[in-house]
Amino acid sequence: MEQELCRSCADCATKSCSRMDGKNPPFCLTTNLDEELLAEAMACYQDPQVNLVTQAAATVEADYYCQMTRVEEIMEFARRIGAKKLGIATCLGTLAEARIAARIFRHNGFEVFGAACKVGAQPKVSVGIPQRCEAIGVNMCNPILQAKLLNRQGTDLNVLVGLCVGHDSLFYRYSQALVTTLLTKDRVLGHNPAAALYQADGYYAKKLFPPKPEGTEK
């Protein structure tokens, strides 16, 4: 028996919500929208700080579309929201990239404070991580401490550089300042995770769509 799919934007290819050309699929979230939820979301943009960030993001996109690199966009966005002190949360594996970013930010007038993932040097086993995980290092990654250190520094905008999957999630959760991502880690694909998507129906098909055991639901 096939499991019924709950279809959403992840299943749409029309992009009709940007044009409203009548080609929206039957499951379109826009044409089937809960008006109360829409009003609730739109009301959030009346908050002055949220509105400032919203306008900064949209104007940077419009003014420099396909012109600026992401590192340049981050600096321009920071200027438009009045951010002067940038925090960098980095993995030790991307420390070289974080140092380059810090040098660029400082050259362009920003104050920078960074925290690396192993800060605090706490053993993995101290929080219940299995001892077998010590095979790639004894000390744990500590994204919560990274966030708290940047919080204490009073950073205006935090920039994430290469934190692992899950560690980035915890950093986002505990950071008091807004967070944007400069570099997303993918050790296999040279920090270009989109490459797996581009090859999902090609070289990576067997890795990403392995055969399901017989008798399992689709």
Side-chain angles (χ1 to χ4, degrees):
M1 179 179 178
E2 279 196 21
Q3 183 179 357
E4 186 177 351
L5 289 176
C6 179
R7 298 192 180 277
S8 62
C9 296
D11 305 291
C12 176
T14 70
K15 303 181 183 179
S16 291
C17 54
S18 67
R19 301 180 300 273
M20 294 309 292
D21 55 10
K23 297 179 180 179
N24 308 63
F27 57 83
C28 178
L29 297 190
T30 296
T31 55
N32 295 286
L33 194 59
D34 179 341
E35 293 298 323
E36 186 176 329
L37 187 62
L38 174 61
E40 181 183 323
M42 296 308 295
C44 294
Y45 294 101
Q46 299 306 309
D47 179 281
Q49 186 61 28
V50 173
N51 194 268
L52 174 65
V53 171
T54 302
Q55 293 201 35
T59 56
V60 168
E61 179 191 22
D63 294 344
Y64 300 104
Y65 197 79
C66 292
Q67 298 177 51
M68 279 189 170
T69 61
R70 189 172 181 91
V71 69
E72 292 173 295
E73 286 186 336
I74 288 172
M75 291 190 292
E76 186 59 29
F77 172 73
R79 294 185 188 103
R80 296 190 185 196
I81 65 170
K84 300 184 183 303
K85 188 170 186 177
L86 305 184
I88 293 180
T90 183
C91 173
L92 282 186
T94 53
L95 188 58
E97 291 87 343
R99 290 178 64 202
I100 294 170
R103 182 157 54 92
I104 293 169
F105 295 154
R106 285 171 175 147
H107 179 80
N108 284 275
F110 295 97
E111 186 180 351
V112 177
F113 187 87
C117 61
K118 301 296 184 183
V119 64
Q122 296 297 294
K124 291 177 179 177
V125 294
S126 68
V127 294
I129 296 172
Q131 192 168 12
R132 61 181 173 79
C133 297
E134 292 182 347
I136 55 171
V138 173
N139 290 334
M140 64 181 285
C141 294
N142 202 332
I144 296 177
L145 181 57
Q146 287 178 283
K148 289 184 174 293
L149 283 168
L150 297 186
N151 293 345
R152 178 170 289 185
Q153 285 292 317
T155 53
D156 302 312
L157 175 68
N158 290 333
V159 181
L160 194 148
V161 180
L163 295 193
C164 297
V165 171
H167 296 152
D168 55 359
S169 303
L170 287 172
F171 183 83
Y172 295 136
R173 180 168 184 174
Y174 284 90
S175 173
Q176 292 175 353
L178 288 173
V179 184
T180 190
T181 300
L182 174 57
L183 188 155
T184 302
K185 178 187 285 176
D186 189 319
R187 299 178 185 90
V188 173
L189 296 172
H191 308 317
N192 178 24
L197 305 180
Y198 301 143
Q199 288 297 328
D201 296 315
Y203 295 119
Y204 270 66
K206 291 182 180 179
K207 286 174 67 73
L208 300 175
F209 298 104
K212 294 183 179 180
E214 290 185 14
T216 60
E217 291 185 352
K218 293 184 180 180

